[in-house]
Amino acid sequence: MYIITLNLTEKKGEAAAHMAAHNEWIAKGFEDGVFLLVGGLKPQGGGAILATCDDRSEIEARMAADPFVREGIATAQIQEVSPARADQRLSSLKVAVA
Protein backbone atom coordinates (compact mmCIF):
# COMPACT_ATOMS: atom_id res chain seq x y z
CA MET A 1 0.00 0.00 0.00
CA TYR A 2 1.19 3.49 -0.76
CA ILE A 3 0.48 6.95 0.57
CA ILE A 4 1.34 9.47 -2.11
CA THR A 5 1.39 13.23 -1.68
CA LEU A 6 1.29 15.64 -4.58
CA ASN A 7 3.08 18.83 -3.56
CA LEU A 8 2.45 21.90 -5.68
CA THR A 9 5.37 23.73 -7.26
CA GLU A 10 5.83 27.33 -8.35
CA LYS A 11 3.93 26.31 -11.52
CA LYS A 12 0.70 25.72 -9.57
CA GLY A 13 -0.95 28.57 -11.48
CA GLU A 14 -0.98 26.30 -14.54
CA ALA A 15 -3.09 23.63 -12.80
CA ALA A 16 -6.43 24.75 -14.27
CA ALA A 17 -5.16 24.16 -17.81
CA HIS A 18 -4.41 20.52 -16.97
CA MET A 19 -7.24 19.76 -14.52
CA ALA A 20 -9.41 17.80 -16.99
CA ALA A 21 -6.49 15.54 -17.94
CA HIS A 22 -5.54 15.15 -14.27
CA ASN A 23 -9.13 14.14 -13.40
CA GLU A 24 -9.12 11.60 -16.27
CA TRP A 25 -5.85 10.20 -14.91
CA ILE A 26 -7.45 9.89 -11.44
CA ALA A 27 -10.51 8.13 -12.91
CA LYS A 28 -8.21 5.65 -14.68
CA GLY A 29 -6.46 4.90 -11.36
CA PHE A 30 -9.81 4.00 -9.79
CA GLU A 31 -10.91 2.06 -12.87
CA ASP A 32 -7.69 0.02 -12.73
CA GLY A 33 -8.30 -0.77 -9.04
CA VAL A 34 -5.09 0.96 -7.95
CA PHE A 35 -6.46 4.10 -6.26
CA LEU A 36 -8.45 3.60 -3.07
CA LEU A 37 -8.82 7.24 -2.02
CA VAL A 38 -7.92 10.61 -3.53
CA GLY A 39 -8.31 14.01 -1.92
CA GLY A 40 -6.93 17.47 -1.40
CA LEU A 41 -4.41 18.45 1.26
CA LYS A 42 -5.71 21.12 3.63
CA PRO A 43 -4.90 23.92 4.08
CA GLN A 44 -1.74 24.03 1.96
CA GLY A 45 -3.15 22.58 -1.26
CA GLY A 46 -1.85 19.70 -3.29
CA GLY A 47 -3.25 16.21 -3.04
CA ALA A 48 -3.02 12.81 -1.42
CA ILE A 49 -3.62 9.35 -2.84
CA LEU A 50 -4.00 6.03 -1.07
CA ALA A 51 -3.04 3.32 -3.55
CA THR A 52 -2.56 -0.41 -3.66
CA CYS A 53 -0.21 -2.21 -6.01
CA ASP A 54 2.24 -5.10 -5.80
CA ASP A 55 4.96 -3.35 -7.78
CA ARG A 56 6.47 -0.02 -6.71
CA SER A 57 7.81 0.61 -10.21
CA GLU A 58 4.21 0.51 -11.49
CA ILE A 59 3.21 3.17 -8.94
CA GLU A 60 6.22 5.28 -9.93
CA ALA A 61 5.32 5.00 -13.62
CA ARG A 62 1.68 5.84 -12.89
CA MET A 63 2.70 8.93 -10.92
CA ALA A 64 5.08 10.06 -13.67
CA ALA A 65 2.12 9.88 -16.09
CA ASP A 66 0.00 12.28 -13.99
CA PRO A 67 -0.39 15.44 -16.09
CA PHE A 68 0.35 17.58 -13.01
CA VAL A 69 3.64 15.76 -12.42
CA ARG A 70 4.52 15.57 -16.12
CA GLU A 71 3.99 19.35 -16.51
CA GLY A 72 5.91 20.21 -13.33
CA ILE A 73 2.83 21.54 -11.50
CA ALA A 74 3.32 19.04 -8.67
CA THR A 75 5.91 16.63 -7.40
CA ALA A 76 4.94 13.21 -6.10
CA GLN A 77 6.29 11.76 -2.89
CA ILE A 78 5.61 8.04 -2.63
CA GLN A 79 5.69 6.38 0.77
CA GLU A 80 5.21 2.61 1.02
CA VAL A 81 3.23 1.41 4.02
CA SER A 82 3.16 -2.13 5.35
CA PRO A 83 -0.11 -2.28 7.32
CA ALA A 84 0.13 -4.12 10.61
CA ARG A 85 -3.28 -3.25 12.11
CA ALA A 86 -6.47 -1.77 10.73
CA ASP A 87 -9.80 -0.74 12.14
CA GLN A 88 -12.75 -2.91 11.10
CA ARG A 89 -14.13 0.04 9.12
CA LEU A 90 -11.23 -0.49 6.68
CA SER A 91 -11.98 -4.17 6.14
CA SER A 92 -13.00 -3.57 2.54
CA LEU A 93 -9.51 -2.39 1.59
CA LYS A 94 -7.35 -4.85 -0.32
CA VAL A 95 -4.59 -5.14 2.25
CA ALA A 96 -2.99 -8.05 4.00
CA VAL A 97 -2.84 -7.03 7.64
CA ALA A 98 -0.59 -9.19 9.78
Side-chain angles (χ1 to χ4, degrees):
M1 178 171 287
Y2 299 89
I3 297 173
I4 304 157
T5 55
L6 292 170
N7 303 298
L8 297 174
T9 70
E10 67 281 348
K11 294 177 76 174
K12 66 184 176 185
E14 298 176 24
H18 301 281
M19 188 60 75
H22 176 69
N23 286 332
E24 289 174 14
W25 173 83
I26 289 171
K28 178 77 169 130
F30 279 108
E31 181 182 307
D32 292 344
V34 175
F35 293 169
L36 302 171
L37 176 142
V38 172
L41 295 174
K42 304 289 182 183
Q44 71 274 24
I49 300 169
L50 181 61
T52 184
C53 184
D54 294 332
D55 184 358
R56 184 182 175 102
S57 63
E58 183 182 326
I59 289 291
E60 291 170 350
R62 186 175 293 271
M63 295 313 301
D66 175 5
F68 279 8
V69 173
R70 193 177 58 237
E71 298 298 326
I73 295 163
T75 59
Q77 183 175 359
I78 302 168
Q79 180 64 55
E80 188 167 358
V81 178
S82 178
R85 294 173 68 177
D87 185 279
Q88 180 63 31
R89 291 171 287 183
L90 299 177
S91 64
S92 63
L93 294 180
K94 299 180 210 174
V95 297
V97 178

